[in-house]
Amino acid sequence: MIELDQRQIQLRAHPSSKAEAIRQAGQILVASGHIEPGYIESMLGREKVANTYLGNGIAIPHGLPQDRELIKRTGIAVMQVPEGVPWNDGETVHIVVGIAAKSDEHIEVLRRLTRVLGDQEQVNKLIRTNDPGDIIAALTGDRPPALAREVGNDYASGFEAVIHNKTGLHARPATFFVNLAKKYQSDVKVRRGNDIANGKSLISLLKLGVEHGTTIRVSAEGADAPAALKALQQAIAEGLGDEDEEAPSAAQLVGTLAWTPRSVAATVSGISAAPGLAIGVTRQYMQRKLVVEDRPSDAMEEGDRFQEALNAANAELDQLYDEVKTRFGSGKAAIFRAHSEFLNDTGLIQQTVGLIFEGHSAAWSWQQMINERVAQMQKLDDPILAGRAVDMSDVGDRVLRHLVGSDAPAPATPDAPVILLADDLTPSDTAALDPDTILGFCTVKGGPTSHTAIIARSLGIPAIVGAGQDVLKIADQTTCIVDGFNGKLYLKPHDDDIQAARALQQELQRKQDAANAVRFEPAVTSDGHQVEVAVNINRAADAAAAVEAGAEAVGLMRTEFLFLERNSIPSEDEQFAAYRDMVQAMQGRSVIIRTLDIGGDKEVPYLNLPKEDNSFLGIRGVRLCLLRPDLFIPQLRAIYRAAAYGPIKIMFPMISTLEDWSQASALAEQIRQEINAPKVPLGIMIEVPSAAVLADQFAQEVDFFSIGTNDLTQYVLAMDRLHPQLAKQADGLHPAVLRMIDLTVKAASRAGKWVGVCGGVAGDPQGAVLLTGLGVSELSVSTPSIAEVKAQIRSRSFAEMQSLAQRALLCKNGAEVRSL
Ligand code: PEP
Ligand code: MG
């Protein structure tokens, strides 16, 4: 996100010509340290070759590409010219946005500008406004700059941290943060870029829109500031109470389902939120409509009513928390703690009371304030954080119900089992539903990380979210089938389809039971070829569950987790203890310990590594370790010391050249000799195309390969593994990736070495079959996938898998491979 502060904005400018306007905009960029003065000439030069008039009174002058080295850092300057300045051919410009773009951060500004462009009213507002905040809000995001002013600058003492929570600082971790901050007297602030929030206000914190991977600065001032900062830093490192819920894909749970009914009246498509098939009749879930009128009585009386409503809502939330905690565990109940926190927000309460004292009713005042906050949250860039608006509105309604009295009827809970259709289910709705009467869900809104989806998954109820407005048009009692695997709702299916779906339901259940029953048996194909099924775990504490789920070894222990969940480098002794505990917990089963893979998406703030322009292509994995013996040597010593306690293998990540390998392995051998440790197998990860292509050369030297398909896919297809729009295409079963794997396996087998796969594809049932067919001899997967992967391997002959794999190599894309 591009930064824009008030110094880069000039209101009420009066340039006499286009050239002067460009010069003035350029001067602002010079003064703010974004460009060298020479770039202004380049901006003027650009006008000779291109027209930078965008439309609707807005122009975006910028320099020529060859002069980019005159840009010190990417930035923009905005000039408001209320009277207008003539541009080209009779165009008049009122907003001049000077752009100095080193890379592509300004694209976001352009995207917003085009949005502004179509909105004449907003353009007019920007032309007239006296508040630079309006311009900042329009161009950099819709976050109100008032927020920044509300709490001023941050404090001198503080720390920076990266938020590793998968869905950023969403309601639950933010609540955890706020509650912890409130335990201290000191004031706490959280900065994200130019925005600052009060660290003790949930709403303020949520409005920062902190996404996964964002760096924030937490600062505190007051008598106990050092203690507060220490506790907050540790809490962030430990995940702010977030459960490590990996939303398992449908496929990972019970296998994919390639089924479509033959004859249905209509199909509604949405996003798969919880796998499974459900058959039943529909029922629209009518949320209560609360009618709020502004009929105030005496202000003191309204104030009392408001207080009573808040107390009642808080009491309900406490009760709900206890109930949900008993049913689904504290992680899932935590959302109701977050709701209570919304109610404790001083700003929200003060503003509501302010309206009451201006002469409005408590209900009306509260509704205004809630609606305002809901609207602000909906505008956040991050869709997951924006989705939390539903929580705000849920808690708002909870209070409102007490304020408007009980005449609004509660939505009738179905008495016979139904498939529930709704606009969106709030956490309160979901918690109130009786799982015995709900066969499946389908909602208009929501995403796979919504609380509805999370609860549906823990209840084992097939669910579809984000299915669009048509859902609300479906009449009650319509027979339908929910396909939670593929996110499809089939309306009025033919009797034959219903029977087929029932048979499939039973078959899926039977398969899952059968796979579980034989999870301890080895994975042997019907013609006697055995594949080792190992597990990816990082902590000794997870070993027992993995063994209980059928794991035969640890195929990948990601040691970076030891470094991520704390504030300082773990000592050699601490690391030794972690590795020894793991190998002991696996009771004689082999453990592959991967050396540190920091960099890319895994940031460790306290290492103070230089910022990378392109972190996935920079100093990460073994490259970093080779440059930082202070990290590498203690780790290698710790692993070799632990090797005395059980069968360990060492694996180096991100090997891309033979030199990487020879340096890393030479250092390992030197350390082994120094501490007189036993020899252990040394292997490398194949996750970079160069390593796959040179696998024949590597195979002469290494003891084994383990293919990291997560990274291999991103590097082979040049698709960022975290990119939301590319997620679907970045398929590890793409034939280009499979060919790299084929190359690796063939090279290894010629040299008599073995190959495993520890990337996500190994745990995909289709992936497991194809990888086995390609000759991979170990699959390392997450704990819940073990039984299913073993079952897949047992389901066919090796010969069949080999022939499938050969066909897959000839396919044109991932979808074609999957359809095999
Ligand atoms: C991989 O890249 O496939 C892998 C297993 O490593 P990570 O996901 O830790 O990068
Ligand atoms: Mg990797």
Side-chain angles (χ1 to χ4, degrees):
M1 172 62 70
I2 202 157
E3 291 176 6
L4 176 62
D5 73 30
Q6 305 201 2
R7 286 163 301 179
Q8 288 149 258
I9 295 178
Q10 190 185 341
L11 297 180
R12 290 174 295 285
H14 304 281
S16 57
S17 65
K18 170 176 158 182
E20 197 186 319
I22 294 174
R23 280 206 186 88
Q24 284 183 11
Q27 283 303 340
I28 301 176
L29 287 168
V30 173
S32 57
H34 288 94
I35 59 170
E36 300 285 355
Y39 193 71
I40 300 179
E41 282 313 308
S42 180
M43 290 168 82
L44 289 163
R46 178 89 182 208
E47 298 299 317
K48 298 197 180 101
V49 292
N51 184 2
T52 57
Y53 182 73
L54 207 58
N56 223 351
I58 302 178
I60 49 162
H62 49 286
L64 294 159
Q66 62 266 32
D67 297 324
R68 270 200 183 157
E69 74 273 17
L70 297 171
I71 301 175
K72 293 187 193 158
R73 59 195 170 93
T74 297
I76 61 171
V78 185
M79 259 170 45
Q80 177 205 53
V81 190
E83 288 95 67
V85 54
W87 214 254
N88 300 325
D89 312 324
E91 295 148 354
T92 301
V93 166
H94 293 278
I95 303 282
V96 180
V97 183
I99 299 179
K102 224 173 164 47
S103 59
D104 60 359
E105 298 106 304
H106 68 298
I107 302 285
E108 174 64 15
V109 169
L110 286 179
R111 193 170 66 76
R112 287 183 186 284
L113 266 177
T114 36
R115 222 194 284 159
V116 173
L117 207 61
D119 185 345
Q120 185 65 53
E121 212 174 298
Q122 193 172 5
V123 175
N124 289 344
K125 187 175 162 204
L126 296 186
I127 294 173
R128 309 263 160 255
T129 185
N130 291 321
D131 180 1
D134 288 340
I135 293 179
I136 296 176
L139 298 193
T140 62
D142 301 337
R143 252 163 253 124
L147 194 65
R149 289 202 297 269
E150 182 182 292
V151 284
N153 293 324
D154 47 357
Y155 301 120
S157 58
F159 62 88
E160 283 200 353
V162 179
I163 295 300
H164 288 292
N165 300 62
K166 280 207 189 71
T167 49
L169 267 191
H170 64 90
R172 279 173 297 167
T175 306
F176 193 97
F177 184 101
V178 167
N179 285 341
L180 185 58
K182 282 184 176 169
K183 291 195 178 140
Y184 297 88
Q185 286 171 357
S186 301
D187 285 335
V188 176
K189 290 183 181 178
V190 180
R191 169 191 282 280
R192 174 192 192 250
N194 278 343
D195 294 337
I196 299 180
N198 177 351
K200 294 183 172 180
S201 156
L202 180 60
I203 297 178
S204 177
L205 199 54
L206 283 179
K207 280 197 287 194
L208 283 185
V210 177
E211 300 153 24
H212 166 86
T214 304
T215 302
I216 57 170
R217 180 168 194 278
V218 180
S219 59
E221 192 173 78
D224 53 3
L229 289 170
K230 190 165 173 234
L232 289 167
Q233 190 168 21
Q234 177 152 359
I236 292 174
E238 287 169 358
L240 292 168
D242 235 0
E243 275 183 3
D244 208 9
E245 155 139 6
E246 238 184 271
S249 71
Q252 280 167 331
L253 286 171
V254 275
T256 43
L257 186 82
W259 177 75
T260 33
R262 272 194 252 147
S263 162
V264 297
T267 302
V268 180
S269 298
I271 301 162
S272 159
L277 279 181
I279 306 150
V281 293
T282 55
R283 168 71 172 271
Q284 291 285 352
Y285 184 76
M286 294 297 172
Q287 267 100 350
R288 319 170 225 214
K289 282 261 174 298
L290 295 168
V291 185
V292 176
E293 289 174 49
D294 191 13
R295 284 215 224 112
S297 57
D298 168 68
M300 294 306 283
E301 228 172 83
E302 291 291 332
D304 288 348
R305 294 186 55 207
F306 179 47
Q307 187 57 53
E308 279 161 25
L310 286 177
N311 292 346
N314 260 320
E316 282 174 8
L317 285 168
D318 283 346
Q319 199 185 341
L320 209 47
Y321 174 81
D322 290 338
E323 277 171 28
V324 175
K325 189 173 156 197
T326 317
R327 276 166 75 192
F328 309 122
S330 57
K332 272 140 205 143
I335 186 61
F336 297 107
R337 281 277 177 266
H339 283 198
S340 305
E341 201 46 53
F342 281 131
L343 295 186
N344 290 334
D345 192 90
T346 334
L348 180 63
I349 312 261
Q350 274 171 359
Q351 286 165 331
T352 307
V353 172
L355 286 178
I356 293 175
F357 281 90
E358 277 172 25
H360 299 283
S361 74
W364 185 90
S365 307
W366 174 253
Q367 197 182 39
Q368 296 303 306
M369 289 298 108
I370 291 291
N371 288 350
E372 192 178 282
R373 278 163 174 78
V374 167
Q376 281 169 351
M377 281 185 192
Q378 282 169 338
K379 284 185 196 157
L380 289 176
D381 284 332
D382 183 312
I384 293 167
L385 292 168
R388 295 295 90 96
V390 71
D391 291 306
M392 189 78 230
S393 133
D394 189 13
V395 79
D397 278 358
R398 182 174 294 285
V399 175
L400 215 47
R401 278 198 291 277
H402 292 284
L403 288 170
V404 297
S406 54
D407 33 7
T413 338
D415 33 26
V418 290
I419 287 171
L420 207 65
L421 308 178
D423 180 48
D424 200 356
L425 290 169
T426 65
S428 307
D429 293 330
T430 318
L433 294 173
D434 175 359
D436 290 341
T437 60
I438 309 298
L439 300 168
F441 293 96
C442 182
T443 59
V444 173
K445 298 183 188 138
T449 55
S450 62
H451 297 287
T452 310
I454 292 173
I455 295 204
R457 280 197 289 274
S458 25
L459 287 171
I461 295 179
I464 304 169
V465 293
Q469 291 296 332
D470 284 351
V471 169
L472 299 181
K473 296 186 195 140
I474 301 168
D476 278 355
Q477 296 295 319
T478 306
T479 304
C480 70
I481 300 173
V482 174
D483 175 357
F485 296 98
N486 301 302
K488 303 269 189 229
L489 178 70
Y490 299 113
L491 301 176
K492 298 189 187 157
H494 191 275
D495 280 352
D496 291 351
D497 286 321
I498 295 184
Q499 288 199 358
R502 278 202 208 292
L504 267 170
Q505 258 180 333
Q506 284 161 8
E507 174 70 7
L508 287 167
Q509 189 57 49
R510 198 191 53 70
K511 270 192 179 162
Q512 198 175 22
D513 295 346
N516 276 334
V518 289
R519 62 192 186 279
F520 298 123
E521 312 279 315
V524 184
T525 61
S526 60
D527 49 359
H529 174 83
Q530 184 170 343
V531 175
E532 184 177 50
V533 179
V535 68
N536 295 347
I537 47 171
N538 309 320
R539 300 171 185 84
D542 298 332
V547 170
E548 173 53 28
E552 295 164 356
V554 172
L556 171 64
M557 177 179 180
R558 291 176 164 104
T559 57
E560 50 277 10
F561 284 84
L562 279 170
F563 288 70
L564 288 171
E565 294 173 0
R566 50 188 293 138
N567 313 319
S568 57
I569 300 174
S571 69
E572 178 188 318
D573 280 349
E574 283 173 271
Q575 294 191 57
F576 158 68
Y579 307 144
R580 179 205 53 204
D581 290 353
M582 177 67 96
V583 76
Q584 285 183 331
M586 288 305 287
Q587 301 170 337
R589 296 171 184 85
S590 130
V591 174
I592 299 182
I593 300 182
R594 181 174 78 179
T595 59
L596 195 55
D597 183 19
I598 294 288
D601 58 327
K602 298 165 196 147
E603 280 186 53
V604 180
Y606 60 80
L607 292 182
N608 292 321
L609 300 171
K611 182 114 189 85
E612 297 267 13
D613 274 345
N614 200 331
S615 62
F616 279 124
L617 302 182
I619 311 291
R620 68 167 286 203
V622 81
R623 294 175 188 166
L624 175 72
C625 285
L626 290 172
L627 289 173
R628 290 284 302 262
D630 60 315
L631 297 174
F632 207 16
I633 291 176
Q635 179 170 47
L636 288 169
R637 287 178 58 91
I639 301 175
Y640 272 114
R641 282 170 61 194
Y645 295 81
I648 278 178
K649 300 185 177 78
I650 297 177
M651 173 157 81
F652 302 116
M654 275 299 290
I655 294 280
S656 51
T657 65
L658 283 147
E659 290 71 32
D660 290 342
W661 153 256
S662 42
Q663 286 176 40
S665 55
L667 185 62
E669 178 55 17
Q670 181 195 321
I671 284 162
R672 186 193 71 77
Q673 289 180 8
E674 273 168 24
I675 60 173
N676 200 16
K679 273 202 165 183
V680 303
L682 295 183
I684 61 168
M685 289 202 67
I686 299 283
E687 44 189 352
V688 181
S690 59
V693 170
L694 294 182
D696 56 339
Q697 300 187 21
F698 281 109
Q700 300 304 315
E701 307 191 16
V702 305
D703 293 316
F704 66 93
F705 290 133
S706 183
I707 302 177
T709 49
N710 308 337
D711 275 311
L712 187 60
T713 306
Q714 85 163 342
Y715 293 127
V716 168
L717 297 176
M719 292 181 187
D720 185 334
R721 64 192 266 183
L722 301 175
H723 200 294
Q725 276 155 284
L726 297 175
K728 264 206 172 133
Q729 293 174 64
D731 187 349
L733 290 191
H734 194 287
V737 182
L738 295 180
R739 286 186 188 205
M740 289 281 172
I741 297 174
D742 186 45
L743 213 59
T744 308
V745 175
K746 283 187 176 139
S749 94
R750 281 197 297 272
K753 307 288 163 67
W754 65 269
V755 180
V757 173
C758 59
V761 171
D764 175 328
Q766 292 176 310
V769 166
L770 289 173
L771 294 172
T772 305
L774 286 173
V776 166
S777 52
E778 176 238 38
L779 296 171
S780 193
V781 306
S782 66
T783 300
S785 303
I786 296 170
E788 170 62 13
V789 163
K790 286 187 168 183
Q792 287 293 334
I793 292 166
R794 294 185 197 112
S795 69
R796 294 161 198 266
S797 70
F798 184 43
E800 223 179 314
M801 295 186 202
Q802 283 175 312
S803 119
L804 262 176
Q806 289 312 308
R807 282 162 59 203
L809 290 174
L810 300 175
C811 285
K812 294 200 166 53
N813 52 44
E816 208 179 295
V817 171
R818 288 185 183 276
S819 71
L820 288 177

